[in-house]
Amino acid sequence: EVQLVESGGGLVKPGGSLRLSCAASGFSFSAYTMNWVRQAPGKGLEWVSSITSSSSYIYYADSVKGRFTISRDNAKSSLYLQMNSLRAEDTAVYYCTRDPGYSSSPGAFDIWGQGTMVTVSS
Amino acid sequence: SYELTQPPSLSVSPGQTARITCSGDALPKQYAYWYQQKPGQAPVLVIYKDSERPSGIPERFSGSSSGTTVTLTISGVQAEDEADYYCQSADSSDIYVVFGGGTKLTVL
């Protein structure tokens, strides 16, 4: 079964750090661009970051650039998001997603994890 | 920054056709994708590359594109289709992924 399972969410104080992990199974993880997408409580979806299959290209939304770092370990079929200098507005469910490569342009997320909640509050 | 614009809400009766629009300047050059999200669940891809339907998605879901607007059409709406729907695409730089604000579909 194709599956993405996120972990690492929790409650953190403003200015703090957190590292999210995503474990992939059921597909050849190393062949796909992977992404993080977040959703604040009661709000819409927001793309956070993308990383290509061999980590050659990495992109971030302006809202997290300089604070978040995406990485992956293809040997472990795992995706990570290191989040530093966290702010209240980073409070959201964070989803790990797969880009199936329908197009050479970014986008299209065909597999989603169940999400992990990050709460930034004092 | 680039934006995709969707109507916040739409209400239809069972059996009717729902059409959800999404507008953006780069849509003539970039593919659009549509997601369905039910409360407490992760989004599900229902349309890719403007009009293609992933396996397992009912035939009543279809997509189309015309100029700067893409449309998700749900024919013969069922109660189970009540959900939030998001369009998504990329900006003209081919780097940034953008989501529309979402449309809440209510089945009366």
Side-chain angles (χ1 to χ4, degrees), chain A residues 39 60 65 105-106 108-109, chain B residues 30 33 35 37 88 94-96:
Chain A
Q39 186 171 35
Y60 298 99
K65 200 173 295 181
S105 295
F109 307 126
Chain B
Q30 297 286 6
Y33 305 87
Y35 301 87
Q37 186 180 33
Q88 175 249 304
D94 234 17
I95 293 177
Y96 296 103

Side-chain angles (χ1 to χ4, degrees), chain B residues 42-55:
Chain B
V44 173
L45 180 68
V46 295
I47 294 290
Y48 68 96
K49 291 175 69 175
D50 293 345
S51 59
E52 301 293 324
R53 195 173 51 249
S55 61

Side-chain angles (χ1 to χ4, degrees), chain A:
Chain A
E1 179 190 7
V2 174
Q3 199 173 9
L4 297 171
V5 178
E6 303 94 338
S7 60
L11 175 63
V12 61
K13 289 182 169 53
S17 298
L18 213 54
R19 189 193 195 210
L20 304 184
S21 299
C22 171
S25 59
F27 67 97
S28 181
F29 177 79
S30 61
Y32 293 89
T33 290
M34 299 295 295
N35 303 264
W36 290 98
V37 174
R38 69 184 180 183
Q39 186 171 35
K43 302 296 185 183
L45 301 171
E46 179 187 15
W47 169 76
V48 172
S49 183
S50 298
I51 184 168
T52 54
S53 58
S54 58
S55 304
S56 298
Y57 295 94
I58 289 174
Y59 304 110
Y60 298 99
D62 289 344
S63 57
V64 306
K65 200 173 295 181
R67 301 187 299 121
F68 290 12
T69 302
I70 192 173
S71 62
R72 64 191 296 163
D73 185 335
N74 287 341
K76 294 182 178 179
S77 295
S78 293
L79 177 72
Y80 307 101
L81 186 68
Q82 177 66 43
M83 304 185 295
N84 298 331
S85 303
L86 283 162
R87 307 166 179 166
E89 53 264 37
D90 296 318
T91 294
V93 174
Y94 284 74
Y95 294 101
C96 169
T97 70
R98 184 183 83 169
D99 183 338
Y102 292 139
S103 162
S104 58
S105 295
F109 307 126
D110 67 337
I111 305 297
W112 296 66
Q114 84 288 352
T116 187
M117 182 70 202
V118 172
T119 303
V120 184
S121 175
S122 55

